[in-house]
């Protein structure tokens, strides 16, 4: 189910006209019409407003394979309640423009989206703050990272699992134990060899 179809269904389910939704999102009615016709996509700020207005997650809005009436795990209600919530193994930030296949987003639970104006190429980056419970997530993400080895323009994503930090390039997974200076220095040296500047290595731990 496409985002455009979800906006239509959610708007109608909430008894809103295009004009009313446009007022909430601070856009024109024509913008709502374009979103619903799949001619244009809402900006990140507007997606957040849509999610808040309709009380749905970014996962539901952005992932085509998720419908609005997806079965949800309930952890505290009824005799058949799920006893233990799935553990989120990994957490980090993914720049959407750094991957060659959007299908990797299916492996993420997206908690926040920010649009970063970097002034570079691309000028705007879409930052997805995520967690993932896929045990093989490092291997999966390494297959879709953007890479131009000849130009030494290798994108990477950094995330952590417990006390272990991952720096993942296309077909290359680097990791170190947080607090282990020798392991971190080895990873940093490998990043430099792949064309990453020192200022780009200021990742959170």
């Amino acid at each position: 189910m496409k985002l455009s179809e979800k906006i239509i269904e959610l708007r109608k389910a909430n008894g809103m006209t295009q004009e009313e939704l446009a007022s909430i999102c601070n856009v024109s009615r024509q913008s709502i019409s374009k979103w619903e016709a799949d001619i244009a996509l809402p900006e990140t700020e507007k997606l957040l407003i849509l999610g808040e207005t309709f009380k749905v997650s970014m996962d539901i809005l952005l992932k085509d394979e998720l419908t609005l009436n997806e079965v949800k795990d309930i952890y505290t209600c009824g005799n058949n309640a799920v006893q233990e919530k799935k553990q989120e193994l990994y957490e980090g930030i993914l720049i959407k423009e750094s991957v060659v296949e959007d299908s990797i987003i299916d492996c993420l639970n997206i908690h926040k989206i920010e649009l970063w104006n970097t002034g570079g190429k691309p000028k705007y980056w879409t930052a997805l703050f995520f967690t993932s419970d896929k045990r093989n997530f490092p291997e999966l993400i390494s297959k879709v990272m953007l890479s131009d080895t000849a130009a030494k323009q290798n994108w990477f994503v950094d995330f952590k699992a417990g006390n272990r930090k991952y720096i993942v390039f296309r077909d290359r997974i680097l990791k170190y134990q947080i607090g282990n200076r020798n392991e971190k220095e080895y990873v940093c040296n490998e990043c430099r060899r792949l064309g990453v500047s020192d200022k780009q290595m200021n990742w959170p731990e």
Side-chain angles (χ1 to χ4, degrees):
M1 190 175 189
K2 292 183 178 180
L3 173 60
S4 55
E5 298 169 326
K6 292 175 185 177
I7 294 173
I8 294 171
E9 188 169 329
L10 287 165
R11 177 176 61 77
K12 290 182 177 179
N14 284 270
M16 290 184 187
T17 65
Q18 286 187 339
E19 288 83 357
E20 289 170 333
L21 183 56
S23 177
I24 292 172
C25 295
N26 196 27
V27 297
S28 66
R29 187 199 63 78
Q30 288 78 12
S31 292
I32 302 296
S33 180
K34 287 179 179 178
W35 296 351
E36 294 185 351
D38 203 20
I39 295 172
L41 291 173
E43 297 174 354
T44 302
E45 175 191 356
K46 307 307 179 186
L47 280 171
L48 295 172
I49 293 173
L50 289 172
E52 178 65 25
T53 300
F54 297 133
K55 307 301 180 189
V56 295
S57 69
M58 290 299 102
D59 278 1
I60 293 294
L61 284 177
L62 293 174
K63 295 181 181 179
D64 287 353
E65 82 282 1
L66 293 183
T67 61
L68 297 175
N69 58 350
E70 284 290 319
V71 174
K72 298 179 180 177
D73 291 336
I74 302 298
Y75 302 101
T76 58
C77 181
N79 295 329
N80 297 320
V82 178
Q83 295 302 311
E84 184 177 356
K85 189 174 180 178
K86 292 179 182 177
Q87 183 181 5
E88 302 286 8
L89 297 176
Y90 304 100
E91 61 175 324
I93 304 172
L94 174 67
I95 304 300
K96 185 175 179 292
E97 291 76 15
S98 70
V99 296
V100 295
E101 292 181 26
D102 287 347
S103 60
I104 193 64
I105 295 176
D106 296 342
C107 299
L108 309 179
N109 298 313
I110 300 169
H111 301 281
K112 184 171 68 169
I113 302 174
E114 290 182 356
L115 194 64
W116 294 350
N117 183 352
T118 67
K121 290 185 179 180
K123 182 178 180 181
Y124 294 100
W125 292 356
T126 309
L128 307 177
F129 293 73
F130 72 88
T131 54
S132 178
D133 57 11
K134 301 290 185 184
R135 291 194 174 274
N136 62 337
F137 177 68
E139 289 76 19
L140 293 173
I141 191 72
S142 72
K143 296 181 185 302
V144 298
M145 294 303 298
L146 191 62
S147 175
D148 186 349
T149 306
K152 284 196 172 183
Q153 293 179 337
N154 294 304
W155 287 77
F156 68 87
V157 58
D158 67 276
F159 50 89
K160 66 179 182 178
N163 202 37
R164 186 161 291 278
K165 187 71 179 182
Y166 288 79
I167 312 297
V168 179
F169 296 83
R170 179 66 172 262
D171 298 324
R172 185 78 191 274
I173 300 171
L174 300 170
K175 55 187 176 181
Y176 64 88
Q177 198 76 17
I178 294 173
N180 188 317
R181 296 180 66 178
N182 291 334
E183 288 184 2
K184 182 175 182 179
E185 185 59 28
Y186 170 78
V187 168
C188 290
N189 284 334
E190 289 299 296
C191 288
R192 292 183 187 101
R193 193 177 63 80
L194 291 167
V196 178
S197 66
D198 282 11
K199 69 179 180 180
Q200 290 177 291
M201 291 186 239
N202 189 28
W203 47 68
E205 293 182 345

